[in-house]
Amino acid sequence: MHHRTHDRSLPHASLTEVPPLSNDPQTLAQDLQGYYTHHLGRDRNCRTTHYIYKALVLTLRDRLMERWKNTRYAYQDNNGRRAYYMSLEYLMGRALGNALLNLGLEEEIDQALSMFSLDMEELEACESDAGLGNGGLGRLAACFLDSCATLQLPVCGYGIRYRYGMFRQHIRNGEQVEEPDHWLRDGYPWEIERPEYAQRIRFGGRSEVKREADGRLSGRWVETHDVLAIPYDVPIPGFRNGTVNTLRLWSAAATDEFDLGEFNSGAYPESVSAKNDAEKITMVLYPNDASENGKELRLRQQYFLASASLQDVLQQWVGIEGIDMDRFAEKNVFQLNDTHPAICVPELMRLLLDEHCLSWDEAWEITSNTMAYTNHTLLPEALEKWPVRMFQRLLPRLLDIIYEINARFLAEVSSRWPGDRDRIRRMSIIEEGPEPMVRMAFLAIVGSFSVNGVAALHSRLLQRGMFKDFFEMWPQKFNNKTNGVTPRRWVAAANPMLTELISEQIGDGWIDDLSQLRKLIPLAGDKDFQQRWLTVKRDNKVRLADLVRQRCEVHFDPDALFDVQVKRIHEYKRQLLNVLHVIHLYDRIKRGDIQNWTPRCVLIGGKAAPGYAMAKRIVKLVNNVAHVVNNDPAVGDLLKVAFFPNYGVSAMEVICPGTDLSEQISTAGKEASGTGNMKFMMNGALTIGTLDGANIEIREEVGEENFFLFGLNAEEVAGMRENYDPAAIIAADENLARVLQLLESGHFNQFEPGIFDPILRALTSRNDPWLTVADFADYLKAQRAVSQAYRDQEKWAKMSILNTACSGRFSTDRTISEYNDEIWKLRPTPSLSAK
Ligand SMILES: *Cc1c(COP(=O)(O)O)cnc(C)c1O
C-alpha cells in the first residue's frame, strides 16, 4: 500500500467550515446545471421536467443546509430550553414554493430559470404533496413548525415517515375510490437520512418487575422483538431569518439480527423475509379523521414514534450533560398533538426508571413536568382507548407503568374526595368492563403539566364537560390556545396578487406580524382600493375556475358568487346542510322563483374515511345533485355545483384565494376550532357559519355585521337533544318539506333506487346528533342575506377587505407565541448567520 505522507506543517482543513454559498442568479444557474448534469446524470437526450425540479431542489437545499447547521450551532451555544412537537401527522403539502419564499430567493431563482427558459409553475407541479396527515390536526402541526422557525424558537418536530400518505381520492360514477399515495416513489429530495441516529424499539416479550430493598420498582423487559427506527430529517426554514429547524421523521427497519434457528435449518429466505414485518409499522397513515378504529398496528405506530423520539432526546441529553437527569425537566418540554403520542408519558417513565435507574418519584417529577397535552376534539368516538389485553401483549412493561401511575393517581383522588367511589371510577385511567381499556386522554392529563383546547369555546367545553373532574382537581393545568394558520403559505405564497396589493399599501411587515393587516381598515371604504381588491379576487376566481374545469369538468363563471366548503367529509361538519340548500336553490329555479337572483357556483370537496359509509354516501349525493343541476338547461348559469376530487394542501392553495363565501356550518359545540375558516378569512372570503370553534372568535374580530351567522348555539344544541322533533320542523317549513320530497322522490338517483335512504333516515331521525334539520330555516335566511350582500359589490368588497384586515389574530405566529409564553418558555435564538 502506498501512503501519501501527511504534511504536518499545514493547518488541518475543516470538512464542515465552508464559505457561504452565493445566491446570485449566475451561481444558482451553475449549481442547477451541475446537479442536473453531474449529480443526476442527465444529458441532452433526457430533458424530463422532474429531474430539473430535483436539480432545483438540491440547489436550494444547499442554501438551507448551511442555515440548518448554523441554527444547530446557535441552539447548542445557547444551551437553552427546547421543545419537541410530538405528532403522528404532518400535512406538509409541497415544500418548493415555501422554501423559495422563506429563503427570499424568488427573484434570483426566477432569473436563473429564465436563462434556461424554464417555468417555475411547471417545476413546482412535479413535487407530490407530503400528505402525512388527515386534515386540520396534521395541517396545524405543519403551520406550527413554520411559525416556530419564523420566531426562531428551538423546536423540533417528531413524526412518522409513512411510505404511503393520505390516500388519493378519485370519483367514479359519483363515488369515492381510494388509491394508495406512493408519494416517495420518485424520491423526496428535501429529506436527509441520518442512520447514525437510529434507535432500537422493543415490542412484545414480557416484563419482569421487582421491588428493590429501597422500595424502588425495577423492571426488565425481556424476550422482545425489536425494530429499528431510522430518522429522516426535513428542513423547516423560517421566514427570511437564517433559521432552519428540523422535522425528524422516523422510518421502521429490521434489525440486523437473524432467527438463527430458522437460518440453521436452511430456511434462509424465510428468516430474511420475516424482517418485512418490521417495515409494516411505518407503511401507511391511518385515514381516520376524528375517529379511532383500535387497530393494533396503530398502537405500534404510536409507541414507535414515542419511543424513538424520547430515546433520541435522552441520547442527546447524555451526550451533552452526561447521565445526571436533574435539570432535564428544566431544559425540555414535549407538546403532545392530541392523545396519539400520549404513550410518551409511560415511555419516558420506563426510560428513566429502567435505563437511567431513577426512583419512581424522581422519574415522575421529570415526566409530569415535561409533558403538555393538546386536546383536539369533543367527539366521544375520537377518544382513544386501547384494550388492556392488547397493551399486555404488545407493550407489557408499559402496562406495568400505567397501572402504577393509575394507582398513585387514584390514591390522590381518594384522599381529596374520601369515599367518592363514583368519582374514582369515572377518573380511572383504566376503564373497567368486560374488556378493560386504557383511556389515553386521562393518561395524558395525569402525566402533563398543561392541558389545552384549541379555541375559546372548545377549551371551555372541555373544562365543563369531558374533563370536568380533572378540571376540579387541577384547574391550573387547563388553558386555551386558539389555533391559527401560517400567513406565509396561506397568503404570501398562495395569493401573490393579494400580497402585492397589500404590501403596496402597508409595506410587507405584515407577513411576519399579521396584526399589521389592521392598517387596511381605513382603506375598506376607499372606492379605488375596493376596485383593485375586487380585480385581484376576480383573477383568483378565474384561476380557481380553470382548476374546477380541469378537475371537475364543470364551468364556473367568475362573476358568480363562489360558495365553497372544503374539509374532511363528516356528519358533524354538515356538508348535508349545504346540499339541502343547493337543492332548495334548484327547487326555486324550477319553480321560477328567480327574481333578484344571485348566480352561485357551489364547490364541495373533501375525503371520506374509507370505512365511514355515511360520509361516502354524502360524497355520492353531492356528485349526483351536481350532475342533475349542471345538466338541466333551465338552470343554466344561475347555479353550478361541483365536487372537487382529492382535496389537499396544494388544492387549497388555489381554492382559498378564489373563494367569496366560506362555509363553516358544523353543529355548534362539535368543531373544536377549524382552521380552514382562518385561511379563507385571510384571503378575503366572508364566512357563513355557526357559533362553533374559532368561528366565534373570527366573528368577534371582524364584527357581527361582516359575518353571516345562523343556527343554534352550543347550549341550545345541548338543550334540544331530548325533545328534538324533526318531523314537526319539516311539517312547518314548506321549503324544507319540498327539498326532502325531491330527495325522497329519487330525483337525484333515478337509476339507483334507495341509495339515499340512509341519508334521509339520518336527517329525519329524532336521534340525529347533528340537528341538521333544526338549523335549516335559519341557514336559508343567512344564505339569502349572502346573496343580497353579493349583489352590492361595493358593500361586498368592503366586508371582504375587513375580513382580511381583521384576520391578524389567526396567524400561528400568535398561537405559537402563546404556547411559548405560557407553556414552553423558550428563548428565541437567532441563527449564527442571520441574514
Ligand atoms: C386547513 C385544512 C384542513 C382543515 O380544514 P377545516 O375546515 O378546519 O376542517 C383540512 N385539510 C386541508 C388540506 C387543509 O389545508
Side-chain angles (χ1 to χ4, degrees), residues 629-645:
V629 169
N630 298 336
N631 292 293
D632 189 331
V635 175
D637 272 347
L638 295 179
L639 180 63
K640 291 284 178 209
V641 186
F643 184 86
F644 194 97

Side-chain angles (χ1 to χ4, degrees), residues 520-551:
L520 292 172
I521 293 176
L523 290 162
D526 181 317
K527 301 287 175 254
D528 180 56
F529 187 68
Q530 287 177 355
Q531 275 318 307
R532 297 171 67 195
W533 189 268
L534 289 177
T535 304
V536 166
K537 179 57 83 177
R538 196 177 184 288
D539 288 348
N540 284 320
K541 287 169 75 175
V542 169
R543 200 163 142 239
L544 174 53
D546 281 344
L547 188 66
V548 169
R549 185 161 31 72
Q550 285 169 37
R551 303 277 282 271

Side-chain angles (χ1 to χ4, degrees), residues 219-340:
R220 269 182 5 118
W221 191 358
V222 296
E223 294 161 26
T224 54
H225 300 279
D226 299 355
V227 170
L228 290 183
I230 314 290
Y232 289 73
D233 288 355
V234 179
I236 307 293
F239 181 67
R240 299 184 188 172
N241 61 6
T243 290
V244 175
N245 279 348
T246 302
L247 169 59
R248 178 160 285 185
L249 300 174
W250 298 101
S251 182
T255 60
D256 294 331
E257 292 126 38
F258 235 36
D259 185 328
L260 275 180
E262 217 162 358
F263 182 54
N264 291 334
S265 69
Y268 171 74
E270 287 76 5
S271 65
V272 173
S273 76
K275 306 210 156 291
N276 284 339
D277 289 353
E279 286 159 26
K280 281 195 188 132
I281 294 174
T282 53
M283 193 61 75
V284 59
L285 167 74
Y286 276 90
N288 305 307
D289 185 69
S291 80
E292 268 317 314
N293 63 1
K295 287 276 173 20
E296 178 176 316
L297 185 59
R298 170 74 172 179
L299 180 57
R300 278 185 193 268
Q301 290 182 339
Q302 297 183 346
Y303 180 67
F304 178 82
L305 168 66
S307 184
S309 311
L310 291 171
Q311 290 189 64
D312 195 41
V313 172
L314 286 169
Q315 191 172 70
Q316 287 173 51
W317 176 266
V318 170
I320 295 164
E321 308 278 332
I323 55 166
D324 186 354
M325 303 305 294
D326 283 357
R327 300 184 62 193
F328 186 81
E330 214 177 283
K331 291 294 197 74
N332 298 284
V333 54
F334 298 91
Q335 191 70 43
L336 309 179
N337 197 20
D338 214 314
T339 54
H340 314 155

Side-chain angles (χ1 to χ4, degrees), residues 31-32 35-36 39-40 42 48-61 96 123 126-127 184-190:
D31 286 11
L32 183 69
Y35 277 117
Y36 188 72
H39 183 85
L40 298 171
R42 302 299 120 185
T48 338
T49 321
H50 183 80
Y51 287 104
I52 307 172
Y53 154 76
K54 247 188 181 164
L56 176 58
V57 171
L58 293 170
T59 303
L60 288 170
R61 201 182 72 174
L96 179 51
L123 296 182
C126 290
E127 183 168 347
L184 289 169
R185 175 163 27 221
D186 302 320
Y188 187 59
W190 298 101

